[in-house]
Amino acid sequence: MQNISMGQAVAQALSEEMRRDPSVFMAGEGIGVGIHDSPLMPTYGLLQEFGPGRVKDTPVSEAVIAGLAVGASVLGLRPVVEVMFFPFFTLASDQIVNHAAKLRYLSGGKSAFPMVVRIKAGAGFGAGCQHSHNLEAWAAHCPGLKVVMPGTAADAKGLLKSAIRDDNPVIFIEDMGLYFFPTPVPEEDYTIPIGVADVKKPGRDVTVVTWSKMLGTAFKAVGPLAKDGIDIEIVDLRTLLPLDKETILNSVRKTGRLVVLHEATRTGGFGGEIAALAAEEAFEALKAPVKRVTAPDIPVPFSPPLEKFYLPDEAQLIQAIKDIVKA
Amino acid sequence: MTSQKKYELYRGMLLIRRFEEKLTELCAGGKVPGMVILCTGQEAVAAGVCGALEKEDVIISNHRSHGHLLAKGADPNLIMAEIYGKSTGYNKGKSGTLHIAAPEVNALCTTTVVGGGIPIVVGTAFAQQYNKSGSVSVCFFGNGAADEGSFHESLNMAALWNLPAIFICENNVYSGAQRMEDHTKVKDIATRAIGYDMPGVVVDGNDAVAVYNATVEARERCLAGEGPTLIECKTYRWRGHGESDHQVYQPKDEIACWMERCPVEKLQKELLDEGFITRQEVLELENEINKAVEESVRFAEDSPWPAPEDALEDIYA
């Protein structure tokens, strides 16, 4: 076991897959020679190892970066392209939403698009709302895509390997807040299946469904709640699409209470989907209303106290959980 | 060009013409569901470009796709069945006329997002370069698509990386109901190539031989590692944007004038003048093509509908 950050885990997955399979190549803005040059960043050192033929620094052209992946993948390459910050997904979105997601269906199953779009996400960097805006619910609203959003470095490594080996377009969302903190990651070659949620902590009283960076926030609530005799179960979704309904429902049926925690804004957020799932399929098990702990419906503000206000924290989670345990 | 090659282009154009004319008839009779968009009058572009390609070469088409697909060698029966939405169509009725993919002939994608195919051809050309496959990628798009950002981003990257891509701008004067002078200041889309340091060529899009020659040259450049070419083919659509378009914005005399310059008749006349074919052989060929088109309609009409629940298949590989 090694202690590495998620950025390093991503780099490890990328380099191992590129060594394993010559059809894997990467493209993106500043992925080879970048302005964020640090050994903790996810593409650090890859240009040196694989050269400019396989690690393609592109012009600032998100639409064609995504189109490059669509076209190269239909001819059998396995492109891994990067969208530097999640809001720039909008610039790449025609190729992702109208093409990557739909062209297999439109071909009647004849064509495949084994491509990965890595997206750097998450607020908390003082970058403001045009660099920070978690849009995973948009991506998850596109049948034909798979949407993966790991919450630990170890999951990121195994899930990214699965994404690269998957024959479908995978949107792989990395929260940059996880790039800089070392956690244990297995050294060997391993994969984690896409579409399988993970019960990161079993518990008795309340199910907390979360993903990405908010997994850490959920864990911060464990101790304080335990002092009040509340034992939470933490379900790390890991994949939003296809959704692992069974793991969620099994947990909700066990605890009878559900709180969904995500960094993205509330209205139209993916938390609503989880709440609806519980209401439709586990209503009889619910002992209390479902709660969502999310960012408010505002753009990510810049000023440090404002941005801190934006991000959901463990205090809000604890309060939401106490509210429904009382109820 | 040899007369034999010219005859092949003529034959290909005739098939496209009859196929599209048949669809006009079928649409008027309410036989075909949904939107139908035809390339009648633009046959020389499809025939000339695809006539210069090898089977391994990739094409990416757009909403006005039938000519491209037929010229690339796609099966008229499977195209017609797809247009009808039948289960025997190229894509089991999932794509309809607008999005046909025929990977069997490397017509890998037809996209109706205007300009949507241009970035994809950067990807297919990249894969061909990466694999040293000795083949090229062609994207067909209209004059309207050249106003999309995707056009500019794609030409820039393709030129930067010397990709084996050929960008075919099929300028049929209109972008929806807008005339060219109402949607862009430039007279020739091909001049935009200068901005990306690639050759930009204007050809008579109603002359299949001229289109063919320009494509041959562009393809040779691609294979020599000299990068992409933008070819603007000046042509005209005889029909509206789609078959439901009443063409109120297209002057009657303008349509008539372009019909005088029929690309199919042009090549037929040349072949007759050269003595390569006789009037009798023309009639025989027309008869054969008509039969093939009628057969495609029969095939489509006799084919079963997809089962409703088939809609749930083919999402994930």
Side-chain angles (χ1 to χ4, degrees), chain A residues 21-25 27 53-54 56-77 91 94-95 98-99 101 103-113 142-146 166-169 241-242, chain B residues 58 78 82 89-92 94-95 99-104 106 108-131 137 149-150 153-154 156-157 160-161 163 310-317:
Chain A
D21 182 352
S23 69
V24 180
F25 77 96
R54 293 181 73 192
K56 306 290 293 184
D57 272 328
T58 67
V60 183
S61 303
E62 287 81 5
V64 70
I65 291 168
L68 171 71
V70 173
S73 63
V74 73
L75 283 184
L77 296 187
L91 293 161
D94 171 53
Q95 285 300 321
N98 288 316
H99 295 93
L103 288 179
R104 173 178 174 75
Y105 191 72
L106 287 173
S107 78
K110 286 181 178 175
S111 304
F113 297 84
C142 299
L145 299 180
K146 295 185 177 182
D166 200 288
D167 285 335
N168 298 285
L241 189 69
Chain B
V58 165
L78 305 192
E82 189 61 42
Y90 261 114
N91 311 121
K92 306 184 204 166
K94 296 231 166 65
S95 81
H99 320 89
I100 295 175
E104 296 86 344
N106 281 314
L108 292 180
C109 151
T110 296
T111 168
T112 57
V113 178
V114 171
I118 314 176
I120 296 175
V121 108
V122 171
T124 56
F126 176 82
Q128 289 163 327
Q129 183 188 64
Y130 189 92
N131 289 330
S137 289
S150 61
E153 288 190 29
S154 299
N156 183 54
M157 198 184 282
L160 182 69
W161 291 352
L163 297 180
D310 291 351
L312 299 174
E313 291 174 1
D314 301 322
I315 298 165
Y316 292 106

Side-chain angles (χ1 to χ4, degrees), chain B residues 8-9 38 43-44 49 92 101 116 129 157 221 225 241 280 304:
Chain B
E8 286 163 20
L9 298 184
L38 305 179
E43 297 85 354
V49 170
K92 306 184 204 166
Q129 183 188 64
M157 198 184 282
R221 272 179 46 79
H241 172 71
Q280 182 58 33

Side-chain angles (χ1 to χ4, degrees), chain A residues 123-275:
Chain A
F125 298 90
C129 59
Q130 292 178 339
H131 282 67
S132 306
H133 187 174
N134 281 8
L135 291 167
E136 67 267 25
W138 281 19
H141 206 56
C142 299
L145 299 180
K146 295 185 177 182
V147 181
V148 176
M149 212 160 165
T152 70
D155 282 353
K157 180 177 168 185
L159 282 164
L160 183 53
K161 282 171 171 269
S162 292
I164 292 169
R165 298 177 196 185
D166 200 288
D167 285 335
N168 298 285
V170 180
I171 308 301
F172 191 89
I173 303 162
E174 301 160 16
D175 194 299
M176 295 176 292
L178 302 169
Y179 277 176
F180 306 105
F181 305 102
T183 51
V185 174
E187 284 172 46
E188 68 270 18
D189 174 30
Y190 64 95
T191 59
I192 291 173
I194 292 173
V196 179
D198 187 31
V199 179
K200 283 284 192 301
K201 179 201 168 298
R204 181 190 62 227
D205 301 316
V206 179
T207 296
V208 176
V209 172
T210 191
W211 54 92
S212 193
K213 180 171 64 193
M214 287 293 126
L215 178 64
T217 303
F219 267 97
K220 285 183 191 164
V222 170
L225 286 165
K227 283 184 191 152
D228 287 332
I230 301 170
D231 182 22
I232 61 171
E233 174 149 307
I234 300 174
V235 177
D236 177 6
L237 218 45
R238 300 198 294 198
T239 301
L240 277 65
L241 189 69
L243 182 61
D244 180 359
K245 296 179 181 176
E246 277 320 299
T247 299
I248 298 166
L249 290 169
N250 287 342
S251 178
V252 171
R253 287 185 184 122
K254 183 176 86 173
T255 64
R257 294 184 182 86
L258 171 64
V259 176
V260 190
L261 168 67
H262 61 65
E263 175 180 323
T265 53
R266 192 176 191 83
T267 305
F270 201 70
E273 186 62 36
I274 309 298

